[in-house]
Amino acid sequence: MTDTTGTATPEMLADGEDGVRRRDFLNIAAVSATGIGGVAVVYPLISQMAPSADVLAESSTEVDVSAIQPGQAIKAIFRKQPLFVRRLTQREIDEANAVDAGSLRDPQTLAERTKEGHRDMLVTMGVCTHLGCVPLGAAEGEPRGEFGGYFCPCHGSQFDTAARIRKGPAPTNLEVPEYEFNPDGTVITVG
Amino acid sequence: MSFPWAKQYAPTNPFMRWMDEKLPLPRLVYNAVGAGYPVPRNLSYMWNFGVLAGFFLVLQIVTGVVLAMHYASDATVAFGKVEHIMRDVNWGWLMRYAHANGASFFFIVVYLHIFRGFYYSSYKAPREMIWLLGVVIFLLMMATAFMGYVLPWGQMSFWGAKVITGLFGAIPLIGEPLQVWLLGGYAPDDAALNRFFSLHFLLPFVIAGVVILHIWALHIPGSSNPTGVEVKSESDTVPFHPYYTAKDGFGLGVVLIFFTIMTFFAPNMLGHPDNYIEANPLSTPALIVPEWYFYPFYAILRAFTFDFILPAKLWGVLAMFASILVWFFLPWLDKSPVRSGHYRPLFRKFFWFGLIPCMAALFYLGGAHAEEPYIMLSQIATAYYFLHFLVILPIVSSIERPDPLPYSITEAVLGSDRKAVLGENAEPAV
């Protein structure tokens, strides 16, 4: 019987020996290729929103710390966020060391938060670990809270002289970023 | 509306049944581009280009929204922002090259879609509204593409903006104040760049809206087909899904191969090197031409070099706009009751040996230098262009004797439509 309708006959549609039709294979191949292609297209569309090369190029900052007097703090900018650099007084160091670190919400000693040989130099992000406000206390005359460190005005988190959370909603101590002193100890490189 | 034999949407999944009661969006999709839309069984690959145009519209919107995340329409930084996209933004080069070449491919598929309409007279009753909306979409595309080309703020951007807004300066009396108002200044600057960016972002969504109307109008009479014979019975159609989703999917795959070759291996082939020089209001590039897809209309603009009652400048502008506006009148200029060029021997000759070479010449001449012999050739091609639509088409369609049409689409495909001839008891074709 010649087929003039262009319609597949039951014989043509019957299973092959292994029960898989040619059309099943084509279907799976086409859908898989489309799926892989789709993922390959979605990846750049998502990745384009990540920090661009010019933002990443600014990801490390040098700060000259030589002029900071004991009891004084400066604000620098690291990755578009405030960075607090404070030279602690002997009294502030003693206060920080007098606290039993184990009793704190985020247990850390002052030694763990500073560098060997520069125990009086406290470098932290000026970003409250609660919701990201800038705590007060770095500039002259700002309130420094009950524990003499930093005080976040947004939701009342209080940080001690080692910038550890003591009271209020912040879950962790002010973050100490990765940084290094240059050999003569006058400049730090953050990031 | 649909043919009575169209498949009905009948979800079995309880969630889909619930959805169908509350918001029948799946039903809409099913009836628009699913199994619920019966389509002539004989569509050729020339019927692929509507879906392809829809694809490139979506591609332009997606890549365009991404580019807008990294761009700033301030004349002092715009050029640098485009280089920032090219060098700093992750995959930014891909987004920009896909957007620039996507515009070209959008125009390629739309031109093929339009010329399919010319050859098969898709504009004829009952599909006039589909055609009119299509011409509106094309005009919106041209405006969008022009404003998009200004955004990189290179030399071609700046001088393109100056020349195209200068067209409006040709209008008598109000021309010059109109041009100043359009630019928000005396030359393209911050004000023009900002408004072009705003409108370049807005217009694609307007296009998407008119595309929905275009498809809505299409679904009232249903798709045309290469014979031009209307659908008569169920045997003339197949469901859109899976038959044409598969066929369109294959066509899309082929076009994407060409698109990716262009995007990855020749991304600047269709652009102009001068646009990598920052806009300079004090120096015009040696050859100032628009993007390739405007060449035919640019050739018509430049064809008018002599004053005749009206100034030459005004004639050029009028002719350029008229060359597209004449498309609006096609459904009434073409008087033949037969649609398809397959069955119109005389029309077919004028299509292949008149209109097509004329358009090819205009495409070439629009990109050539404004000097002889190109000006004279532009004048001849422009004259023939209008002659085709305003004289040849009405006369040819009135006097030609069309070839006999098949009784039905089924007959055209299978050689006979036994069911139509012999009635319900006909044996299936053997």
Side-chain angles (χ1 to χ4, degrees):
Chain A
M1 191 174 80
T2 49
D3 171 43
T4 57
T5 60
T7 309
T9 58
E11 292 81 46
M12 289 162 68
L13 290 174
D15 290 350
E17 277 174 25
D18 51 359
V20 178
R21 290 181 302 157
R22 190 173 130 86
R23 182 167 290 187
D24 292 329
F25 170 76
L26 290 173
N27 235 332
I28 293 166
V31 172
S32 320
T34 310
I36 293 165
V39 171
V41 168
V42 165
Y43 176 74
L45 285 172
I46 293 172
S47 171
Q48 56 88 14
M49 284 175 67
S52 55
D54 57 325
V55 172
L56 294 178
E58 289 176 357
S59 61
S60 84
T61 304
E62 286 193 350
V63 182
D64 184 346
V65 298
S66 55
I68 305 173
Q69 300 302 311
Q72 201 180 28
I74 62 165
K75 288 184 194 176
I77 293 176
F78 171 59
R79 291 180 184 170
K80 302 269 167 173
Q81 299 187 95
L83 178 79
F84 292 166
V85 186
R86 176 185 290 283
R87 195 182 291 279
L88 301 173
T89 60
Q90 192 54 50
R91 197 169 68 88
E92 286 170 336
I93 295 171
D94 294 341
E95 269 178 43
N97 288 335
V99 179
D100 171 19
S103 69
L104 298 176
R105 184 179 299 170
D106 182 9
Q108 264 186 323
T109 62
L110 181 63
E112 287 167 332
R113 293 171 62 73
T114 50
K115 297 279 179 200
E116 187 69 49
H118 300 279
R119 292 299 176 207
D120 59 341
M121 191 59 74
L122 182 66
V123 180
T124 62
M125 296 303 298
V127 179
C128 180
T129 54
H130 180 218
L131 292 170
C133 293
V134 180
L136 300 174
E140 195 76 47
E142 285 181 353
R144 298 179 61 176
E146 293 172 32
F147 300 89
Y150 299 107
F151 169 70
C152 183
C154 290
H155 306 98
S157 290
Q158 318 244 6
F159 299 89
D160 67 11
T161 52
R164 295 174 296 195
I165 180 64
R166 299 295 291 273
K167 193 176 176 186
T172 56
N173 303 334
L174 288 188
E175 185 195 342
V176 177
E178 298 258 327
Y179 70 95
E180 274 174 8
F181 280 91
N182 73 340
D184 65 7
T186 55
V187 175
I188 59 169
T189 305
V190 191
Chain B
M1 118 95 221
S2 190
F3 299 111
W5 56 83
K7 285 187 188 163
Q8 292 300 312
Y9 180 63
T12 49
N13 181 306
F15 172 75
M16 294 307 276
R17 276 210 298 273
W18 179 85
M19 185 71 182
D20 192 41
E21 273 178 27
K22 313 301 171 194
L23 181 71
L25 191 61
R27 176 181 291 271
L28 183 79
V29 172
Y30 182 89
N31 289 334
V33 291
Y37 180 42
V39 186
R41 64 190 292 170
N42 61 334
L43 300 192
S44 67
Y45 275 108
M46 282 312 292
W47 267 255
N48 236 203
F49 293 97
V51 164
L52 295 179
F55 171 82
F56 280 106
L57 175 63
V58 172
L59 178 83
Q60 290 304 87
I61 290 178
V62 170
T63 52
V65 165
V66 166
L67 291 171
M69 291 180 188
H70 304 285
Y71 173 78
S73 60
D74 182 310
T76 53
V77 299
F79 185 83
K81 280 290 184 183
V82 174
E83 288 310 303
H84 160 72
I85 289 168
M86 294 299 290
R87 291 152 188 254
D88 294 337
V89 174
N90 300 310
W91 303 93
W93 58 272
L94 176 60
M95 299 297 151
R96 176 161 172 268
Y97 281 154
H99 197 69
N101 286 283
S104 283
F105 272 75
F106 197 1
F107 273 95
I108 290 170
V109 298
V110 162
Y111 275 123
L112 290 167
H113 194 56
I114 292 171
F115 276 78
R116 190 284 314 269
F118 286 156
Y119 184 78
Y120 293 98
S121 309
S122 304
Y123 42 78
K124 277 186 192 163
R127 298 187 181 80
E128 308 96 308
M129 185 53 78
I130 310 170
W131 174 260
L132 300 179
L133 290 166
V135 180
V136 170
I137 293 170
F138 184 66
L139 290 169
L140 287 168
M141 276 176 66
M142 294 180 83
T144 310
F146 158 66
M147 288 188 281
Y149 194 55
V150 175
L151 303 183
W153 207 240
Q155 275 287 67
M156 296 306 256
S157 302
F158 181 90
W159 292 100
K162 188 145 190 180
V163 168
I164 300 298
T165 55
L167 298 179
F168 295 91
I171 300 168
L173 299 174
I174 59 163
E176 259 178 58
L178 180 64
Q179 186 188 352
V180 170
W181 177 75
L182 283 171
L183 287 174
Y186 302 96
D189 201 359
D190 241 9
L193 184 57
N194 272 306
R195 68 190 60 178
F196 283 3
F197 183 43
S198 170
L199 293 172
H200 183 72
F201 206 109
L202 167 72
L203 286 185
F205 297 97
V206 177
I207 291 175
V210 184
V211 165
I212 288 171
L213 299 182
H214 188 69
I215 297 170
W216 187 6
L218 169 71
H219 279 69
I220 294 169
S223 298
S224 65
N225 70 87
T227 66
V229 175
E230 288 294 318
V231 167
K232 287 192 168 73
S233 67
E234 185 170 2
S235 70
D236 290 344
T237 65
V238 289
F240 189 88
H241 179 75
Y243 290 92
Y244 287 111
T245 42
K247 186 163 184 161
D248 288 341
F250 177 75
L252 178 63
V254 172
V255 169
L256 282 179
I257 288 172
F258 289 108
F259 174 68
T260 43
I261 288 173
M262 287 294 292
T263 302
F264 288 109
F265 300 105
N268 290 307
M269 200 175 90
L270 296 170
H272 300 288
D274 276 16
N275 220 28
Y276 284 103
I277 302 169
E278 192 166 3
N280 179 358
L282 302 180
S283 158
T284 308
L287 176 61
I288 172 90
V289 289
E291 288 281 79
W292 70 267
Y293 35 79
F294 293 139
Y295 280 175
F297 309 104
Y298 198 60
I300 291 173
L301 172 78
R302 294 195 304 189
F304 290 81
T305 53
F306 44 85
D307 294 349
F308 173 71
I309 303 173
L310 299 173
K313 186 181 179 188
L314 182 56
W315 275 115
V317 174
L318 289 176
M320 190 185 79
F321 285 112
S323 65
I324 298 169
L325 296 182
V326 71
W327 296 356
F328 278 116
F329 298 95
L330 263 186
W332 299 281
L333 288 169
D334 182 350
K335 298 177 180 9
S336 174
V338 173
R339 292 196 186 89
S340 170
H342 280 317
Y343 305 100
R344 301 172 65 189
L346 195 55
F347 165 84
R348 194 164 62 226
K349 287 192 183 74
F350 278 103
F351 181 85
W352 288 116
F353 301 110
L355 183 64
I356 294 294
C358 171
M359 283 305 292
L362 288 172
F363 259 110
Y364 176 76
L365 294 165
H369 282 272
E371 60 195 31
E372 295 297 356
Y374 304 120
I375 293 175
M376 191 185 68
L377 291 173
S378 297
Q379 289 166 343
I380 294 169
T382 302
Y384 186 83
Y385 180 90
F386 284 103
L387 203 67
H388 177 88
F389 287 111
L390 297 175
V391 180
I392 294 171
L393 193 60
I395 292 177
V396 163
S397 61
S398 302
I399 64 166
E400 85 177 331
R401 183 189 173 86
D403 293 340
L405 290 172
Y407 170 76
S408 68
I409 294 169
T410 307
E411 190 191 288
V413 175
L414 303 181
S416 81
D417 189 348
R418 295 169 60 91
K419 201 170 172 190
V421 176
L422 301 176
E424 288 299 318
N425 298 324
E427 297 278 311
V430 271

